[in-house]
Structure formats: C-alpha cells, structure tokens
Amino acid sequence: MKIKLISLLCVVSLLMLCGCSGYREADNGYIVTAIGFDGNEDFKVSVEVVTAGGSELRSEPKSEVISGKGNSPMEAVFSLNSKISKNLVFDHCTALLIGKNLSGKKLEEVLKYGKEIKELNFAIDMFMCENAEDLLNESESVSVARGFDIAANLKETKSETGIDYQNKFYEIYMEYNAGKSYSFPYLKVKNERIIIDGESVFKENKEKAHFTNEEALLYSFIKNNNNGGKIFLGEEFADISHSHCSLNNGGEYTVNLSIKQKSKKFSKIFKKRVEKMLGKHKEELNFSSDKIKLKERDGI
Amino acid sequence: MGKEYSFHKLCLAAIFFFDGIALFLPFKGAKNGDLSALIFAIILSVFLYFLCYFLADKIYKSSGGNGVTKVSCFLIIAFLVFTNAVTSKNFINFISKEVLIKNPKIYILILFSAICIYMVSKSDKVAAKAGLLSFVFIVIVMTVMLIVSCKNFEPVSLKKLFVGKVFKRSFVYLYKALLFPIAFAIFSRFAFYNVSVKKDIFGFLIGTVLILVCYLSAALTFTLHFASKIDYAYPISISVVNIGELYTRMDGFAYFIFFFSALIRSSICGFGIKMLLKKMNIKYPFEKTSLLMLTSFAVSYII
C-alpha cells in the first residue's frame, strides 16, 4: 500500500514537471506592464517593460518604454521584438492603452488582435488617451511601473465613486461585437502623474461622447454601472450605497438612489446636471429621454 | 464489479458524458435556441445509449466464438479506436493551444498516451476509483467557480437561449454526443455486470448538469454570441474570475478538469477494447489493446 502511494505521488510529481518546460527566468525577459497602440496611417505599439536589476545585488527594477511600428498590430509587435534581445512577457500586463487617433478599422484590428493573442489576459483593463506613447514617456511611475499605477488608480476611482467602467477587454469586445456602445476611462498626465480624467464612449468604433469625471459618474447611474460611492457635485456631497435606473412609461428616466446620509435630498442642480448630460448626448448615445425623475431614500 | 461500485459507475458515466462536449461549448455559430438544441441532443443521445447498451448486453451474453459476435466486436473496437483518437486529439489540441503553447504536441501526446495505457494495464476497479476521485474534484471545482463567477454574469434573455431553430442545430451537438454511447455501453455492461443501468442514467443526468454549468458559465460571462466565437470559452470564463486581490487567472483548474475527464474517457475506450478482445478469446489482450490505443493516438496526432 505504501509503495503504491509513493508511486502515485511520484507520478503526480512527474506530471507537474511539464510546467517546467516553459519556465522563464526573471531577467531573461522583459516584463510588460502596459501596452499602448497609436496610429494614423500605420500602427505604433508602445510597451512599458520592467527589467529585473541584473547582476547587481539589491538593485531596483527599472521600467522603460519601447516602441515598434507596422501595418498591423501583429507586425508592430513583431518589429518591437526585433529591436530587443529578450522576450516580452505579458503575464503581468495590467493596462491596454488606445491612442485617440486610433479609431475606425484600426481600433477594430486592435480588438481582434487582443482576442487572438494568448499572452494578453481577457480581463486586461483598457483605457483611452491622447497618445499612448507620449503618456507612457511623459509620466513618472509612483510604484515600479506606470502600468501598475494605472491599475491602482482605476481601483481607487472605482471604490471611491462606485463607477464600474466595464472596461475589461472582454467586456468591451462583447459590446463591440454586439454593435452596442462601449467606453474607456480616459487617462492624462498631470504633474507627471497619470490620472483618470473622464470617460470616452464609443460606438461602431467611433468616439460618440467624451465625458468629464462628473458626467462619467452621472452616466454610470443611467447605465446602472454604479456600485455605490461618494458623489461630489459642486458643493453637493452624497454617499450612495446603491443606485438603480429605469425608464418609466412616461418616457422618463427614474433614478433611485439609496443614500447613506439620513434624509439627504439632492438639490435641483443634480437633476438639471443629469438632464443636461442626457440632452447633450441624446442622439449620439441613443438615450431614450432627456427627462429624469429622482428618488432618494435612506440607504444602509 | 459488484453493487458496492454502483456510485463509481455513476461517476464514470457523468465524466464520460461530460468530456465529449464540454470543452467546446457553446459551439461556433450559436444563435437563438442554442441551449434547447443542446438539451435536445443530450436527450437523443441518451436514447441512443439504450440501443447501444442492448447491443452490448447481447455481446456480453453471447459466446465469443460466434461469427456475428466477432464481426460486431471488431466493428465496435474500430469505433472505440476512433473515439479514443478524437478524445485525445481534442485534449492535446487544447493543451498545446492554451497551456503548453511553445511545446511540441508530440511530447504532450506521449505523456498522455503513457498515462492512459498505464491505466488500462490495471484492473477496471482502478478506473472506477480514479473516476470517483476525478468526479469529486470536478464537481467541487465547477461548483466553486460557478459561485464566484456569478458576479461577472451578464443579464441575458432566457427566451433567446431557449427559443429558436432547435432541430437543425441539435444535430451539430449530436455529432459530438454520438461518440458517447457505444464506448461507455461496452465498459458499463462488461465491467459493472451486477450494477443496474439506472446508475448510467443518473450519471448522464449529472453529466448533463456539468455540461450545462460549462455552457451557462461561458454564455453568461461573455454572452452567447461572443462565447461561441472564442475557442474554449469555459476555461477563459474562469480566467477572468477573481476572488479578492490575490486569486486571479484560475484557469489552471479547468485544465485539470479536462485532463481528468479526457483521461477517464480514453481509459474507458481502452478498457472496452480489452474486454472485447477477451470476449473473442484473443491472446494477449492487453498488449493488443496497447497497440490499438497507440494506433489511435498516432491517428489523433496526424488528423
């Protein structure tokens, strides 16, 4: 019995060895933390890579930005690979940046490339910016890499405001595939730090609307993409535990807000702000109405 | 095997049924009514199973020297070799595309075939016990993954999943499910001669539940239309799940699920071949079974 158990253990251990065949040493590759695509006529790919310190003891990891060009995303990555001596390791890539000049068919090609390439996780977060290469080059990283800073920034924004941007690669690809609108958090550099500055809404691979942070928050209520958070609107503040939006029979949006502060009521300004946003983007984003009814109640 | 192995038979039936189809769900080109088509195909294949079990029963009760029995056995062996080839081809392709991407397929095939043939060299009780352990692992993992992936599910119209062109689509699924009946029927009748066929039915029921869990996890995470465009949607639907900050990209669990189920399915084909060769009183049944299995693995590599 003992021999059988030991034999079984050996066999199971042998099975585990398969994983060793594709092993990678940390300093044998460039760890990609962010990847960005730009392009007007052709594609430009920029990757932020982190390299282990090398032979020096206790050396800090360093990040740098490398670029490549090509007629397709695959070609651009290939040309980037040809410039470097080590392999690119995408396992820790946390951000996929799309430059603003990349729209229409080019954006479609990037989405298809992201779907085909096995190295990029389906759940990678996607962002929009003016120019991905400039964003990566002009900013300084707070942590080890800008990619990680962006991920941390997104997490913080989500937990504070409650906005669920639905910007994971598979979420965006699903919406694009179904012909619906999809959105990216918009990044920009401020005081050498990358911040989230609003939201870009796309449909049919063209930008239909660009929201400020405030408008992005209100948009999340309308789309039922808000998990509860702190709202700052001018001088108004509310801590929302839950929100729900529906279209009533009168052709008017009803937004139910559960507010943690007891007996808190928003002023008419909040309602007017939402209606203004709805009216401004009604046609491009197919809002059913620009009228809204607000219902506040005490939340938990 | 006696009645004390009845639960083992149920587990084996569930896994065997599950492996034939789960890896590819939902199939390419899924449209409205796809889930109904899948369920309809499953029901048809269960009816087909009874026909196959009846045939297996006839062969079990007949003498091995009978000409008709021999011809039937040879035909069934050919089909088992084909079933094994398809099973290993599906599994090896999955592993080489998703897990061991840069490794040549041949290494994966050699390892897999060695384990299968080793399993077939043992008694059928070993397969039964392995099936039980694999079943427990598969059920626990799939249940946990279903619970934690609920938050990623998109709202979807159930009407779209159930109402549509069912009949034509069901034959697409039936083609994959058709591979199931005769292979398990032989093993079930020959190995579990004291256990009622009711356990097979319960096993299919559980296998169907597992299949539906795979299908719905993929279809609700990615929407049906998008999920049908992804290769191996179920493992990818697990890879986007996260539990807290630390537990992400847990698609490794899916690799083990499909490894155990492919191993059980392949082994059952091997056992079926061995039992039929013994029935025909052919000498050295295990050696000839190994040869036939190696042939089927070689075929799976080439096709």
Side-chain angles (χ1 to χ4, degrees):
Chain A
M1 183 66 184
K2 223 178 180 179
I3 296 169
K4 281 183 186 172
L5 277 171
I6 292 169
S7 312
L8 181 67
L9 203 63
C10 291
V11 166
V12 169
S13 309
L14 272 172
L15 286 175
M16 303 295 176
L17 284 174
C18 297
C20 293
S21 63
Y23 85 101
R24 295 169 295 220
E25 288 285 342
D27 52 2
N28 283 355
Y30 289 122
I31 297 169
V32 177
T33 52
I35 180 169
F37 288 93
D38 298 301
N40 233 332
E41 287 168 12
D42 52 9
F43 285 93
K44 193 167 196 182
V45 65
S46 311
V47 294
E48 183 198 29
V49 296
V50 174
T51 48
S55 54
E56 298 160 18
L57 284 171
R58 291 187 198 158
S59 54
E60 292 290 317
K62 291 182 285 188
S63 73
E64 58 181 289
V65 180
I66 321 168
S67 301
K69 267 188 186 178
N71 292 325
S72 69
M74 186 83 85
E75 242 183 70
V77 173
F78 189 72
S79 89
L80 193 154
N81 270 322
S82 62
K83 288 183 185 177
I84 52 179
S85 54
K86 299 179 188 178
N87 288 328
L88 291 173
V89 176
F90 285 93
D91 297 8
H92 302 278
C93 188
T94 52
L96 174 58
L97 310 175
I98 305 288
K100 216 169 174 183
N101 51 11
L102 197 86
S103 63
K105 279 213 159 217
K106 287 197 157 34
L107 178 57
E108 200 177 317
E109 279 190 64
V110 170
L111 290 174
K112 283 180 179 165
Y113 170 75
K115 181 177 160 261
E116 296 308 318
I117 188 172
K118 298 291 174 205
E119 285 90 347
L120 280 181
N121 188 2
F122 248 46
I124 190 172
D125 289 308
M126 290 184 75
F127 302 87
M128 177 73 48
C129 53
E130 192 66 41
N131 186 288
E133 190 187 12
D134 292 345
L135 183 100
L136 292 173
N137 277 320
E138 288 166 11
S139 57
E140 290 293 325
S141 58
V142 175
S143 64
V144 172
R146 294 161 194 82
F148 298 156
D149 292 344
I150 294 169
N153 208 333
L154 178 70
K155 187 185 158 200
E156 203 181 308
T157 307
K158 273 182 171 179
S159 78
E160 269 184 17
T161 63
I163 301 174
D164 182 2
Y165 288 99
Q166 305 259 305
N167 67 316
K168 291 201 184 302
F169 173 80
Y170 74 90
E171 287 169 334
I172 287 178
Y173 199 101
M174 257 167 23
E175 299 297 302
Y176 147 77
N177 208 41
K180 294 182 185 171
S181 61
Y182 47 94
S183 58
F184 306 91
Y186 192 84
L187 298 177
K188 77 177 202 185
V189 178
K190 190 177 178 184
N191 301 330
E192 293 183 340
R193 296 281 184 258
I194 298 175
I195 58 165
I196 293 177
D197 186 39
E199 195 176 1
S200 284
V201 182
F202 274 65
K203 194 172 178 184
E204 289 159 5
N205 297 334
K206 286 182 188 154
E207 191 182 35
K208 295 291 181 186
H210 183 88
F211 292 136
T212 60
N213 279 330
E214 205 178 86
E215 285 176 332
L217 180 65
L218 302 175
Y219 183 60
S220 72
F221 288 132
I222 301 297
K223 292 283 281 181
N224 280 319
N225 285 345
N226 197 296
N227 301 321
K230 296 175 175 47
I231 298 179
F232 291 93
L233 279 168
E235 288 171 5
E236 290 203 67
F237 165 75
D239 197 351
I240 310 283
S241 59
H242 179 71
S243 74
H244 179 75
C245 178
S246 56
L247 197 61
N248 61 27
N249 291 334
E252 191 181 46
Y253 284 108
T254 304
V255 175
N256 292 295
L257 292 170
S258 302
I259 307 175
K260 288 179 185 173
Q261 297 119 301
K262 299 279 178 203
S263 310
K264 161 79 186 174
K265 295 275 177 202
F266 276 105
S267 67
K268 287 180 186 172
I269 293 172
F270 177 85
K271 182 172 171 256
K272 280 197 174 143
R273 272 194 164 119
V274 184
E275 282 181 344
K276 189 181 170 188
M277 184 206 74
L278 289 168
K280 195 171 150 188
H281 300 290
K282 189 179 174 191
E283 275 180 39
E284 301 109 346
L285 298 181
N286 287 333
F287 288 136
S288 304
S289 166
D290 59 357
K291 297 286 168 224
I292 187 159
K293 201 172 174 180
L294 215 60
K295 284 184 179 176
E296 299 107 325
R297 60 169 189 237
D298 292 340
I300 302 161
Chain B
M1 281 182 267
K3 287 187 179 167
E4 65 272 18
Y5 285 92
S6 55
F7 186 67
H8 298 71
K9 188 186 188 192
L10 185 152
C11 298
L12 285 166
I15 295 174
F16 194 93
F17 197 45
F18 166 80
D19 182 69
I21 200 166
L23 200 51
F24 307 99
L25 290 173
F27 283 19
K28 301 243 183 284
K31 287 179 181 158
N32 290 355
D34 198 64
L35 187 54
S36 293
L38 174 63
I39 293 170
F40 186 61
I42 288 171
I43 294 169
L44 282 177
S45 77
V46 172
F47 278 119
L48 220 63
Y49 178 75
F50 283 111
L51 285 171
C52 297
Y53 192 84
F54 175 73
L55 177 64
D57 187 51
K58 286 276 178 200
I59 294 172
Y60 182 77
K61 287 174 180 168
S62 68
S63 71
N66 183 338
V68 173
T69 307
K70 276 197 170 173
V71 170
S72 310
C73 286
F74 278 124
L75 286 172
I76 293 170
I77 286 172
F79 190 76
L80 292 180
V81 167
F82 173 68
T83 307
N84 187 44
V86 172
T87 303
S88 69
K89 178 193 156 212
N90 290 339
F91 176 70
I92 301 301
N93 282 348
F94 167 63
I95 293 295
S96 65
K97 277 184 189 172
E98 298 293 318
V99 187
L100 302 172
I101 298 168
K102 290 173 185 164
N103 293 69
K105 266 193 215 177
I106 190 74
Y107 297 151
I108 308 165
L109 182 66
I110 288 170
L111 196 61
F112 183 70
S113 53
I115 298 168
C116 288
I117 291 172
Y118 177 75
M119 182 82 103
V120 174
S121 71
K122 298 291 156 190
S123 78
D124 40 19
K125 286 181 186 171
V126 171
K129 289 172 187 172
L132 174 65
L133 292 171
S134 308
F135 176 78
V136 169
F137 173 81
I138 289 171
V139 166
I140 290 173
V141 168
M142 287 183 76
T143 308
V144 169
M145 288 303 154
L146 180 67
I147 293 167
V148 297
S149 58
C150 279
K151 63 180 179 354
N152 290 348
F153 287 170
E154 295 283 318
V156 73
S157 161
L158 285 173
K159 192 180 168 189
K160 281 190 177 174
L161 282 177
F162 285 103
V163 176
K165 287 181 183 172
V166 170
F167 192 68
K168 199 175 168 188
R169 180 75 178 161
S170 67
F171 280 97
V172 173
Y173 283 113
L174 195 62
Y175 167 67
K176 289 283 183 185
L178 250 178
L179 292 173
F180 156 74
I182 189 67
F184 193 77
I186 295 290
F187 183 72
S188 170
R189 188 66 190 92
F190 279 67
F192 295 94
Y193 40 82
N194 270 343
V195 182
S196 155
V197 75
K198 277 188 213 167
K199 291 294 174 189
D200 298 17
I201 307 298
F202 286 130
F204 308 155
L205 217 64
I206 295 172
T208 305
V209 170
L210 295 175
I211 288 168
L212 291 177
V213 165
C214 266
Y215 186 98
L216 289 172
S217 287
L220 295 178
T221 303
F222 297 125
T223 71
L224 180 64
H225 185 57
F226 185 51
S228 68
K229 291 187 173 188
I230 308 171
D231 294 334
Y232 316 119
Y234 180 65
I236 295 179
S237 72
I238 294 181
S239 76
V240 303
V241 163
N242 61 293
I243 306 173
E245 296 293 318
L246 292 175
Y247 298 99
T248 61
R249 301 195 70 171
M250 293 180 286
D251 36 339
F253 284 109
Y255 305 152
F256 275 105
I257 288 173
F258 291 114
F259 167 64
F260 290 137
S261 52
L263 178 64
I264 295 294
R265 198 167 215 247
S266 250
S267 305
I268 285 173
C269 291
F271 277 111
I273 295 170
K274 192 164 94 172
M275 284 161 186
L276 288 171
L277 288 173
K278 275 185 184 170
K279 183 70 187 173
M280 291 189 285
N281 300 317
I282 289 177
K283 282 186 186 172
Y284 310 113
F286 169 66
E287 286 77 8
K288 289 180 178 148
T289 302
S290 308
L291 208 61
L292 285 167
M293 286 191 78
L294 283 170
T295 310
S296 76
F297 287 126
V299 165
S300 74
Y301 183 72
I302 296 163
I303 56 170

